[in-house]
Amino acid sequence: METLTPVVETDVLIVGAGPAGATAAALLSTYGIANVVLNKYAGVSNTPRAHITNQRGVEVLRDLGLEGEVTRNATPQHLMGEHVYATSLAGQELGRLRTWYTHPHFKAEHDLASPTSVCDLPQHVLEPILVNAAASRGSSVRFNTELLTFTQDDDGVTALVKDRLTGQEYGIRSKYLIGADGGNSTVAAQAGLPLVGKMGLGGSINVVFEADLTRFVEHRPGDMYWFVQPGVGHDGNGIGVLRMVRPWTKWVGVWGYDVNAGRPSLTEEDGVRIAHQLIGDDQVPVKVESISTWAVNDVYATDNMAGRVICVGDAVHRHSPMNGLGSNTSIQDSYNLCWKLAMVLRGEAAPALLDSYRDERLPVAKQIVQRAKRSDGLMPPIFMALRLPPASGAPELRDALDALLRPTAEGAERRQDFDAALRATIMCFNTHGVETNQHYTSGAIVPDGTPEQPAPRDEEIYHFASTRPGRHLPHVWLTKDQQRVSTFDLCGRGRFTLLTGVDGAAWREAAERVAERLGVPVRVRSIGRGCEFEDSYGDYRALSEVAEDGALLVRPDHMVAWRSATAADDPEAALSAALGQILGLTTKE
């Protein structure tokens, strides 16, 4: 890149205004860090795209003060869970699942894990919420502005960008650059981040359309309906999808295409045809809003940082929509990163703190990509159970469904196989542990020397509450002034929090002195009988794994950074050593 004098200077340049980039901007502005956001498009996403927002995703939005706006605009959990398998929406039902933790058993587990609930918040609704929050809090958001290239040195990054309306090129100088520019990331490519896996493994068509389908679905409300139909898909057999955007009048119809034949050229008539095929009734009025194509990917980065350039979101993990992990993981990438950037930029932490982003989030990226791939693998057994050969047509499907219903020994065997295959697909939706059980090991976590206890149940399926350093602070309900308060709301908002109990006065005094010495704010919350926050249900006592004179140090992203099971001989020294290690600081005299 030619030497140029930047005309814009900022602390952080964020490339991309999708879920990852917009979250990063909102967080940094909330933390008081100057940032510029580039979006090469004229506006935010104009299609629904990602839509599942899980508990950890909503928790970040809650910490940003945006949960109320999210709740007003999202479809709630109780309207998401009737997952229907059929030949079409109007056609023969083949079975149902209760998804997204709406089964009473999973609902209880879901409600115990967080003060928030999973919801359906389409990307074109989520992005304006985040971008508006970022802009109103100080971010400079530049639409129609494209990153061309960048160089970095010991002090920062110089980017060359282009105004796509005027054609003007100019420079932006920042201390750090966040690449949040999606699955074809310019930043990741120019930074040379290594990627593992394959792109373009399968092609899909999205048809966004309006149609009143209330009579087909209000008695079985769900966010997705899956249809076994002849067509492009698993071994040449198709799974068509109707995805709810707005109950029950706006939808996305999803159908496959052969990537080896090239991207199809589709007309509005094609969109209507696909919608009617999925609905199973060509008399339903359909108004097509847009048609687009997308590819199934299976890629994750083995490094997400290169000097002062750090990538988040789909730039470093790309996978199928199975399990709804994409935008949620992207949001959490930024949540992990931005408090660290803020503290480094304010001089409260050493730059080495940023290395923990690599150590903590790379395993998560690998896990979710592999989970989505395994979930994709749950589709072929459905066709195998129906005894359908590859590339079957309508006659073969009709014969297979007829055989499924026959009161014969062979029919019973087919029903048993089909029902087992259908039930197994619950793992395309209910992976609560994958969503909530992140366990970090890095320099920003101080182990307490206790052996890691194996989870009592499958950690991909079930939430596992623990205060072991590196785990997410468990949610329990406390009371203050007779009002319920979640442990989640005692922490976060860009600051460290020390939680202690009835006999924790020494920790409070220690925290005040350590905060002053290190120049790092530490709030203290006391929990227990007669404390600031009452443990009215006894749940905190049961889950905290520390005594009334012990303490938990919780990071701004709600991860437990350090704990002391009981009182320390020298609380100030213990807390100072822990916080200094996390932040890479030495005590200021």
Side-chain angles (χ1 to χ4, degrees):
M1 185 173 74
E2 296 181 2
T3 302
L4 77 163
T5 301
V7 298
V8 176
E9 294 190 1
T10 190
D11 285 334
V12 181
L13 175 62
I14 303 167
V15 181
T23 298
L27 287 164
L28 289 172
S29 290
T30 301
Y31 300 157
I33 301 300
N35 63 90
V36 173
V37 185
L38 306 183
N39 186 350
K40 71 178 183 179
Y41 304 107
V44 295
S45 175
N46 59 2
T47 61
R49 299 174 66 182
H51 62 117
I52 299 299
T53 308
N54 66 31
Q55 288 181 306
R56 287 288 185 256
V58 179
E59 283 177 356
V60 177
L61 300 168
R62 182 185 180 101
D63 197 39
L64 279 165
L66 301 174
E67 186 183 16
E69 192 170 358
V70 166
T71 301
R72 288 191 297 273
N73 286 279
T75 298
Q77 181 186 21
H78 73 273
L79 294 179
M80 295 170 59
E82 287 290 321
H83 188 82
V84 173
Y85 284 87
T87 57
S88 68
L89 193 63
Q92 177 186 350
E93 265 201 30
L94 304 176
R96 298 189 194 184
L97 293 173
R98 296 184 182 95
T99 57
W100 306 124
Y101 320 110
T102 53
H103 187 286
H105 169 75
F106 283 111
K107 184 66 164 61
E109 302 260 349
H110 174 274
D111 292 350
L112 288 168
S114 174
T116 69
S117 296
V118 64
C119 62
D120 191 302
L121 186 66
Q123 189 168 336
H124 72 296
V125 180
L126 169 63
E127 285 185 11
I129 293 173
L130 287 167
V131 171
N132 289 341
S136 66
R137 298 176 192 188
S139 298
S140 173
V141 183
R142 300 181 175 221
F143 290 103
N144 290 302
T145 305
E146 181 178 6
L147 173 75
L148 298 179
T149 187
F150 61 84
T151 59
Q152 61 175 310
D153 52 47
D154 291 341
D155 299 316
V157 182
T158 302
L160 177 65
V161 306
K162 179 180 180 179
D163 185 316
R164 299 181 74 190
L165 295 180
T166 67
Q168 178 190 8
E169 297 181 3
Y170 60 93
I172 299 179
R173 178 69 174 176
S174 61
K175 296 183 177 71
Y176 291 93
L177 186 153
I178 296 177
D181 49 341
N184 293 301
S185 172
T186 297
V187 176
Q190 291 191 18
L193 297 184
L195 300 172
V196 172
K198 296 181 179 180
M199 298 279 282
L201 297 178
S204 290
I205 301 164
N206 273 9
V207 180
V208 181
F209 66 93
E210 292 186 357
D212 187 351
L213 303 181
T214 304
R215 64 189 174 94
F216 298 107
V217 298
E218 64 179 347
H219 56 289
R220 47 180 182 172
D223 76 321
M224 284 187 286
Y225 301 80
W226 285 8
F227 310 121
V228 177
Q229 297 182 343
V232 176
H234 298 274
D235 292 327
N237 296 306
I239 287 283
V241 177
L242 275 178
R243 198 193 100 196
M244 178 273 301
V245 177
R246 183 177 62 241
W248 303 107
T249 58
K250 190 167 183 178
W251 301 83
V252 178
V254 185
W255 191 242
Y257 72 91
D258 184 357
V259 291
N260 296 318
R263 182 176 296 180
S265 177
L266 299 165
T267 64
E268 182 176 345
E269 289 72 21
D270 292 319
V272 172
R273 175 182 52 78
I274 291 171
H276 279 153
Q277 174 183 318
L278 298 173
I279 297 168
D281 182 346
D282 60 10
Q283 299 305 302
V284 175
V286 167
K287 180 181 179 182
V288 173
E289 183 177 293
S290 66
I291 305 175
S292 59
T293 59
W294 51 278
V296 175
N297 301 313
D298 177 35
V299 171
Y300 60 89
T302 56
D303 199 353
N304 52 20
M305 301 172 58
R308 289 175 174 264
V309 177
I310 307 169
C311 282
V312 295
D314 288 359
V316 284
H317 41 80
R318 309 162 192 175
H319 52 86
S320 84
M322 289 294 191
N323 302 102
L325 297 169
S327 62
N328 292 287
T329 305
S330 301
I331 288 169
Q332 292 168 73
D333 284 348
S334 294
Y335 196 44
N336 179 288
L337 172 64
C338 286
W339 70 267
K340 299 172 183 177
L341 270 176
M343 297 191 81
V344 169
L345 287 165
R346 289 196 296 256
E348 297 170 349
L353 173 63
L354 297 177
D355 291 335
S356 66
Y357 170 74
R358 170 191 290 117
D359 297 334
E360 293 174 358
R361 296 306 293 177
L362 282 177
V364 174
K366 180 178 180 180
Q367 179 191 27
I368 66 161
V369 171
Q370 293 180 339
R371 176 63 258 172
K373 184 177 182 179
R374 289 197 300 275
S375 294
D376 273 331
L378 296 172
M379 291 296 102
I382 289 178
F383 301 104
M384 293 166 63
L386 289 172
R387 313 298 198 265
L388 278 172
S392 298
E396 290 88 352
L397 179 58
R398 283 195 300 271
D399 291 344
L401 294 177
D402 287 343
L404 191 68
L405 300 176
R406 287 181 191 137
T408 62
E410 181 186 0
E413 182 180 349
R414 291 192 181 204
R415 286 188 291 276
Q416 183 176 354
D417 291 347
F418 182 81
D419 290 344
L422 186 150
R423 287 194 301 271
T425 63
I426 193 66
M427 288 296 288
C428 297
F429 311 93
N430 285 24
T431 49
H432 201 203
V434 175
E435 298 170 13
T436 62
N437 287 340
Q438 287 80 20
H439 187 187
Y440 295 158
T441 302
S442 75
I445 299 294
V446 182
D448 65 352
T450 60
E452 183 174 2
Q453 298 297 318
R457 298 176 297 176
D458 189 324
E459 274 209 79
E460 282 212 325
I461 301 174
Y462 297 101
H463 172 61
F464 176 47
S466 172
T467 66
R468 194 168 188 272
R471 291 279 186 175
H472 190 281
L473 176 71
H475 152 70
V476 298
W477 289 112
L478 309 171
T479 57
K480 180 178 174 62
D481 300 327
Q482 302 179 5
Q483 302 293 318
R484 288 204 316 173
V485 181
S486 170
T487 46
F488 181 93
D489 297 320
L490 274 57
C491 308
R493 294 171 178 80
R495 295 174 62 183
F496 278 85
T497 305
L498 189 72
L499 302 180
T500 188
V502 174
D503 195 13
W507 288 113
R508 182 178 295 275
E509 295 170 3
E512 291 173 356
R513 291 194 290 269
V514 170
E516 183 177 359
R517 184 179 302 120
L518 295 180
V520 178
V522 180
R523 67 166 71 88
V524 181
R525 308 292 199 192
S526 59
I527 302 172
R529 192 172 300 279
C531 291
E532 179 185 10
F533 295 90
E534 293 270 359
D535 184 19
S536 300
Y537 304 99
D539 293 337
Y540 183 77
R541 182 173 63 253
L543 287 177
S544 68
E545 301 174 296
V546 298
E548 290 183 336
D549 59 354
L552 300 176
L553 182 63
V554 183
R555 302 189 329 188
D557 57 356
H558 290 84
M559 305 303 291
V560 178
W562 168 83
R563 70 180 177 182
S564 179
T566 59
D569 293 337
D570 187 340
E572 182 179 348
L575 182 58
S576 181
L579 195 56
Q581 178 180 330
I582 293 163
L583 301 179
L585 299 175
T586 55
T587 303
K588 298 176 183 177
E589 300 296 338

